Amino acid sequence: MSAKPAVGFVNEASQQILAGGSAGLVEICLMHPLDVVKTRFQIQRCATDPNSYKSLGHSFRMIFRTEGLFGFYKGILPPILAETPKRAVKFFTFEQYKKLLGYVSLSPALTFAIAGLGSGLTEAIVVNPFEVVKVGLQANRNKFTEQPSTMSYARHIIKKEGLGLQGLNKGFTATLGRHGVFNMVYFGFYYNVKNIIPVNKDPTLEFLRKFGVGLLSGTIASVINIPFDVAKSRIQGPQPVPGEIKYRTCFKTMATVYQEEGILALYKGLLPKIMRLGPGGAVMLLVYEYTYSWLQENW
């Protein structure tokens, strides 16, 4: 009698993991150049530096001129390697937390938000080491062919700084904050607003309904969580003085950035982040929903 529920769970979990992995892979391949630009803005400290980026357009021109087209894809291997398990964890755990919270008799609005928070915290545990490697590679302004490979850079971090919170897992609390807050708003907003707006019988209009809500979800979540993102980039990126660690913990880093550079510094990289995670967030949700639906019908 217990075999059937177990088989059903494995089948459901497999579908959610495959759909989540597919959503992540599509999103990262489309939107990674904007992530590179976002990271560059977040780690630069002084706008008067002749090497600093003045605007979004200027950053694109500078990267293309000095690093070539592949400069926009620096650090893409860690996200690709992480994206399938990361997004699989994101969507699978969201579905499971949502199911568990159903037994607690919470309101649907609260259920979606708390399940999103749980999925984000779980996702952060999986993704943080990949983020450390990615940020380090994205911060490198040498030509693409002159920078270290992903594996050699990861080995360098492990050899020099170890696997702990000062090494391959530095910025862990900031990553928890970034992903926890983002997913709480992202899933909470998307599913609550989508359930309010009536379903459209026209497939094209229904697609646009979901895309529009997904776009808003990714945009609002990006605006709310970006101080955690800036703190994460500062902790994981190059320190202002080589050999001296200035940015250590999440909230202390936020306070330091605020005191030295003002409130707007906590929102550095917001435009490329919104340009990436607004449409990127919509793409992920739609790829997940349509892939999951197809797997349920055909698997």
Side-chain angles (χ1 to χ4, degrees), residues 21 80-90 126 130:
I80 285 178
L81 291 174
E83 213 57 34
T84 299
K86 173 184 171 181
R87 303 306 190 193
V89 166
K90 181 191 191 81
V126 175
F130 295 93

Side-chain angles (χ1 to χ4, degrees), residues 127-256:
V127 78
N128 194 63
F130 295 93
E131 286 289 317
V132 172
V133 177
K134 183 200 77 169
V135 169
L137 291 172
Q138 288 180 339
N140 187 322
R141 294 198 184 192
N142 294 330
K143 290 183 179 178
F144 187 84
T145 53
E146 296 174 359
Q147 77 168 66
S149 69
T150 299
M151 292 307 296
S152 66
Y153 187 65
R155 285 194 297 269
H156 168 75
I157 293 172
I158 294 168
K159 184 178 179 180
K160 185 179 178 183
E161 300 168 330
L163 296 168
L165 298 178
Q166 297 303 319
L168 202 60
N169 271 293
K170 62 185 170 184
F172 180 60
T173 54
T175 304
L176 284 173
R178 184 181 82 152
H179 287 265
V181 171
F182 182 89
N183 283 4
M184 180 176 67
V185 177
Y186 180 63
F187 284 119
F189 184 91
Y190 178 74
Y191 284 104
N192 282 299
V193 173
K194 191 184 75 164
N195 290 342
I196 293 170
I197 302 173
V199 174
N200 203 299
K201 293 180 180 179
D202 184 294
T204 303
L205 293 176
E206 176 61 10
F207 175 87
L208 291 174
R209 177 183 80 99
K210 290 180 177 178
F211 187 87
V213 178
L215 179 68
L216 278 173
S217 302
T219 300
I220 293 169
S222 297
V223 173
I224 292 174
N225 91 324
I226 194 168
F228 291 96
D229 201 359
V230 170
K232 186 189 79 69
S233 294
R234 292 293 178 95
I235 295 167
Q236 294 176 345
Q239 298 294 310
V241 179
E244 181 182 312
I245 299 175
K246 179 175 183 175
Y247 304 115
R248 289 181 181 273
T249 62
C250 177
F251 290 106
K252 190 174 179 182
T253 297
M254 285 186 194
T256 300

Side-chain angles (χ1 to χ4, degrees), residues 7-8 13 34 44 46 61 95 126 129 136-137 171 191 226 254 256 267 273 278 280 291:
V7 170
L34 286 163
Q44 73 178 20
C46 182
R61 290 193 299 273
E95 298 287 357
V126 175
L137 291 172
Y191 284 104
I226 194 168
M254 285 186 194
T256 300
Y267 292 85
K273 183 180 173 75
T291 304

Side-chain angles (χ1 to χ4, degrees), residues 41 44-54 58 261 268:
F41 271 110
Q44 73 178 20
R45 299 183 68 248
C46 182
T48 57
D49 187 327
N51 293 317
S52 68
Y53 302 118
K54 313 302 181 192
H58 178 250
E261 303 169 52
K268 282 186 174 181

Side-chain angles (χ1 to χ4, degrees), residues 66-88:
T66 60
E67 303 166 51
L69 182 61
F70 288 113
F72 293 109
Y73 291 90
K74 283 183 173 179
I76 194 171
L77 188 56
I80 285 178
L81 291 174
E83 213 57 34
T84 299
K86 173 184 171 181
R87 303 306 190 193

